[in-house]
Amino acid sequence: MGESTARALLRRLAVEQSESRVPSLTAAVVRDGEVAWFGGRGRVGEGEPTLDTQYRLGSITKSMVATVVMRLRDEGLVDLLDPIGKHVEGTPFEQVTIAQLLSHTAGLTAEPPTEWWERTPGLPTDELLARLGPENSRHRPGRRFHYSNLGYGLLGELVARHRGMPWLEAVRREVLEPLGMNDTTARPRAPHASGYAVHPFADVLLAEPEHDAVSMAPAGQLWSTPGDLARWAIFLTGSGDGVLGKATLAEMREPATVADGDAWSAGYGLGLQLLRDGGRRLSGHTGSMPGFLATVWADPAERVGVLFMANTTSGVRGTLLTDLLTILDEHEPRLPEPWEPVAADPDLLAMTGLWHWGPTPYVLRLLPERGLSLTPLRGVGRASHFVAQQDGTWLGLDGYYAGEVLRAGDGYLDLNTFIFTREPYDPAAPIPGGPGEWSA
């Protein structure tokens, strides 16, 4: 990374730490699988924070729990449509599904029926389950997005029961160790930042408490370092790194619900928060615990990620990370990969070109690895990409035709009963109803 880029990134970080009055603030940018820039401001102990200084992750913990849940799904041990009661008995809302818990659409109360769980010692799972009642369901399951820390307490118990070990041990073995996140722990280890609240009207600090949340720990227990969180960001920008299949990681990034209305900019997938900003589609998670804030965003399309970690209860502006991405784009925009020709199957090459859905012209293009792209010629209509299947068909990946099958016939295409022809309503094609004659 160039010196001027690094200076601009550091200045934005320094402005945030100074103007928002943060005891210490760290940030990092990852690009193409490695840390491209790191900065730290303020003090932890006798010096500035480093890549090895621990902070609390807060709710970023949820994404790691969700990763193990998705591994259980991929192994066939659970189905996302399973009711939680099939795996964790004894709740008054056993019919909410695993997918709804992952995406915060189960309708459960945001917080557990305990004292303020983030500031008090936690309860064992059996005691938490015994406290739950119908009043802890706030909305009809599936109706709306309603963030629920309680829901992730239940998902942590689901992991524990299937793996035969505490949720944390499962996360450590299946996520942290494979990704090299060896400095991510349940409780702090030196060197770590202490959590503070900053007085709103004076430059003084108040030490914040830290406890083991026990049954609620899957919602936000973990401590980590900028170095380890950078490894997590790299994982989110990549193809799974052996922890998850590429398709499963992409599934977690799909919008399951939106958090801010019709023209959404913020949403939630399966364990991942989603953000649209300036043309970017980001996935990751925010985190907040008493005395700490953290956020990580990843842009898989650009293979870039960004994160911050701070030891303050509130105050870091939400635009910090998107500002860092904008600085990176302005100073060192990514160059497109050089175009190179690719050998094509002659039969597939013959399929390319103009097709018609009724009177509407479409263009079929050949993609790498025998994939196809079908887009309306004039930009109005349904566009989709397709991946080749072993039986000679193609499976839709996005848009209206996601999950639908495209078959090549003799002079026509059959896309889930819709017939595409070389000429509008080609009379030689099996178009239901039969074409008539064109007239003035």
Side-chain angles (χ1 to χ4, degrees):
M1 179 173 291
E3 183 177 345
S4 64
T5 308
R7 177 69 178 179
L9 293 169
L10 181 60
R11 184 181 186 282
R12 177 64 185 88
L13 182 70
V15 167
E16 190 67 36
Q17 189 270 339
S18 177
E19 294 184 355
S20 297
R21 300 186 306 135
V22 182
S24 72
L25 178 62
T26 66
V29 173
V30 301
R31 203 175 200 183
D32 295 328
E34 60 184 26
V35 177
W37 172 82
F38 169 77
R41 299 289 290 183
R43 302 192 71 78
V44 174
E46 299 300 318
E48 289 189 343
T50 71
L51 277 168
D52 297 322
T53 304
Q54 269 197 335
Y55 294 80
R56 296 199 76 171
L57 285 181
S59 289
I60 299 173
T61 303
K62 292 181 173 72
S63 299
M64 298 170 188
V65 172
T67 298
V68 180
V69 174
M70 296 303 289
R71 286 173 57 89
L72 291 172
R73 192 284 304 271
D74 288 352
E75 294 170 20
L77 297 176
V78 304
D79 190 291
L80 296 186
L81 296 181
D82 284 347
I84 189 63
K86 181 178 178 179
H87 305 276
V88 180
E89 306 84 4
T91 76
F93 24 76
E94 293 190 342
Q95 293 308 306
V96 302
T97 69
I98 294 173
Q100 289 169 338
L101 291 171
L102 286 169
S103 60
H104 297 285
T105 58
L108 303 190
T109 180
E111 314 302 342
T114 64
E115 292 185 320
W116 190 342
W117 71 271
E118 296 161 315
R119 303 179 64 84
T120 54
L123 299 175
T125 299
D126 58 350
E127 292 187 32
L128 175 64
L129 293 178
R131 293 191 180 198
L132 299 179
E135 69 278 6
N136 298 122
S137 180
R138 303 296 193 191
H139 307 283
R140 171 174 54 80
R143 178 187 175 195
R144 58 173 295 166
F145 173 79
H146 186 67
Y147 194 90
S148 177
N149 287 297
L150 173 60
Y152 270 79
L154 298 179
L155 288 172
E157 182 62 13
L158 178 147
V159 167
R161 294 191 183 192
H162 273 284
R163 290 310 195 208
M165 63 184 73
W167 71 273
L168 178 61
E169 182 64 15
V171 168
R172 185 183 66 80
R173 293 185 186 186
E174 300 182 34
V175 178
L176 303 180
E177 287 183 352
L179 295 180
M181 297 175 64
N182 299 318
D183 290 318
T184 301
T185 57
R187 304 299 292 277
R189 63 94 179 111
H192 68 83
S194 297
Y196 295 111
V198 180
H199 195 286
F201 309 119
D203 294 329
V204 294
L205 304 176
L206 176 71
E208 292 275 35
E210 185 272 334
H211 301 285
D212 185 347
V214 193
S215 58
M216 287 300 298
Q221 182 70 38
L222 293 178
W223 291 69
S224 191
T225 65
D228 268 14
L229 194 55
R231 293 180 178 91
W232 178 250
I234 291 168
F235 165 73
L236 292 178
T237 63
S239 59
D241 297 322
V243 172
L244 285 179
K246 182 177 181 179
T248 298
L249 185 54
E251 183 181 359
M252 294 177 71
R253 294 193 292 257
E254 294 173 359
T257 183
V258 299
D260 59 353
D262 295 334
W264 76 275
S265 61
Y268 213 92
L270 299 175
L272 292 176
Q273 286 179 322
L274 310 174
L275 180 68
R276 297 197 303 182
D277 176 79
R280 308 181 189 97
R281 294 181 65 93
L282 306 175
S283 57
H285 218 289
T286 58
S288 171
M289 290 295 278
F292 293 93
L293 295 172
T295 297
V296 58
W297 292 120
D299 182 352
E302 295 292 321
R303 288 184 58 78
V304 64
V306 63
L307 62 97
F308 83 81
M309 307 181 84
N311 61 331
T312 182
T313 298
S314 63
V316 178
R317 287 172 286 200
T319 58
L320 171 61
L321 294 188
T322 52
D323 286 351
L324 295 180
L325 288 175
T326 298
I327 291 170
L328 182 64
D329 288 342
E330 291 174 347
H331 285 73
E332 296 186 16
R334 182 182 292 279
L335 300 178
E337 294 296 323
W339 177 86
E340 294 181 359
V342 179
D345 185 317
D347 292 335
L348 294 184
L349 191 60
M351 288 176 55
T352 63
L354 197 62
W355 291 87
H356 295 81
W357 179 76
T360 306
Y362 277 73
V363 174
L364 187 72
R365 293 183 57 86
L366 183 59
L367 302 177
E369 299 180 359
R370 301 177 63 83
L372 300 174
S373 168
L374 187 64
T375 57
L377 179 64
R378 298 186 179 93
V380 178
R382 298 161 176 166
S384 287
H385 297 82
F386 299 83
V387 63
Q389 304 294 289
Q390 292 185 349
D391 63 359
T393 65
W394 287 264
L395 184 68
L397 296 177
D398 50 17
Y400 183 82
Y401 297 113
E404 306 292 359
V405 176
L406 171 67
R407 295 179 173 84
D410 185 10
Y412 66 92
L413 303 176
D414 183 336
L415 180 47
N416 190 33
T417 77
F418 289 155
I419 303 300
F420 288 73
T421 55
R422 287 296 192 179
E423 301 294 333
Y425 289 120
D426 185 348
I431 300 175
E437 293 185 1
W438 297 97
S439 61

